[in-house]
Amino acid sequence: MKNTSLAPFRPHELFLISGPCSVESEAQMRQILNQTHRPTLIRGGIYKMRTSSKSFQGLGQDGIELIEKLSNEYDFNFVTEITDARQAEKLNSISSVFQVGARNMYNYELLKELTQYGKPVILKRGFSATISEWLGSAEYLADLGEENIILCERGVRSFDTKLRNMLDLGSVIYLKKNTNFKVLVDPSHSMGLTAYVTDAALAAVAAGADGLIVEVHPEPSCALSDGQQALNIEQFDNLVSKLKQLCPIFGKELRM
Ligand code: PEP
Ligand code: MN
């Protein structure tokens, strides 16, 4: 098995994670991995929790095998969402970090299972979870010795319907002042449209986020999930250059 361990996170770093919503094909993942400015830690959904059962559900086992194959060729770390504890062994062999999605934030048995692997866990905020409920879920991890808990603000459902979710940067400010958890922001699922993702990402840095997880697709219009909110590679490069300018203002260094 490949060594999936990730270099320790340092407090002054802004950790950038990017990649497609879903792992779709070898060609797509090669384009992602061949990007000039690509983070070491790449995201990509393999088991997707789609609102409609008719939507693309992820490549499953074929996706695992694809990532295994590419990891023999490229130097990268991988993070993917685990949707069921029965996937843990297999996903452990290809992942450096586990992601628990918004739909599973309250799945305490899944959280407990993940503490067995000694890997960082990204815990996304549930659609309508209060900060206290979110921290309650984080405690299920912490109680069983999970040392590397990364909370991810991905927007909450609100009265407003103009944007996919309401990006709660207040939670980021609150969590940084009152907890020791790392806080990641997902501007893609928060805003839901490509045009707003870069500005939301920059605002997250100003709010004190420790990192960003951004959806990137080589051809967003052909994406099998969430194409409407993906940055293409050129747009991602533009975000990277803006982050490089912004980070020093907040005493941060961009970690790719
Ligand atoms: C995702 O990151 O692909 C995802 C499904 O996000 P969330 O769980 O925040 O909806
Ligand atoms: Mn997505």
Side-chain angles (χ1 to χ4, degrees), residues 21 43 48 164 189 215 225-226 229:
C21 179
R43 64 150 286 152
K48 298 300 297 176
R164 184 170 181 180
H189 293 89
E215 287 188 343
S225 61
D226 283 351
Q229 68 192 28

Side-chain angles (χ1 to χ4, degrees), residues 21 43 48 81 99 101-103 124 127 154 186 189 215:
C21 179
R43 64 150 286 152
K48 298 300 297 176
E81 180 175 346
Q99 175 179 323
R103 293 166 183 76
K124 287 194 146 196
F127 294 144
R154 44 81 73 213
D186 174 346
H189 293 89
E215 287 188 343

Side-chain angles (χ1 to χ4, degrees), residues 1-2 4 23 46 61-74 76 78 89-95:
M1 196 205 295
K2 190 181 174 261
T4 53
V23 171
I46 286 180
Q61 182 60 30
D62 290 347
I64 294 175
E65 285 165 26
L66 175 58
I67 298 300
E68 261 164 11
K69 175 178 173 185
L70 293 170
S71 67
N72 292 325
E73 247 182 89
Y74 293 87
F76 68 104
F78 187 65
E89 288 292 337
K90 283 190 200 164
L91 292 182
N92 181 44
S93 70
I94 56 164
S95 310

Side-chain angles (χ1 to χ4, degrees), residues 131 135 170-181:
I131 295 173
L135 288 173
S171 81
V172 178
I173 295 167
Y174 175 87
L175 293 166
K176 289 310 298 172
K177 291 246 187 288
N178 294 288
T179 76
N180 289 319
F181 296 122

Side-chain angles (χ1 to χ4, degrees), residues 9-10 16 63 77 79 82 107 110 116 120 122 127 132 153 161 168 204 209 211 214 221 230 232 237 248:
F9 179 90
R10 290 188 293 273
L16 185 57
N77 293 104
V79 52
I82 176 163
N107 188 341
L110 175 63
Q116 312 281 313
I122 292 176
F127 294 144
S132 297
E153 173 60 63
T161 54
D168 181 8
V214 182
S221 61
N232 64 27
D237 287 347

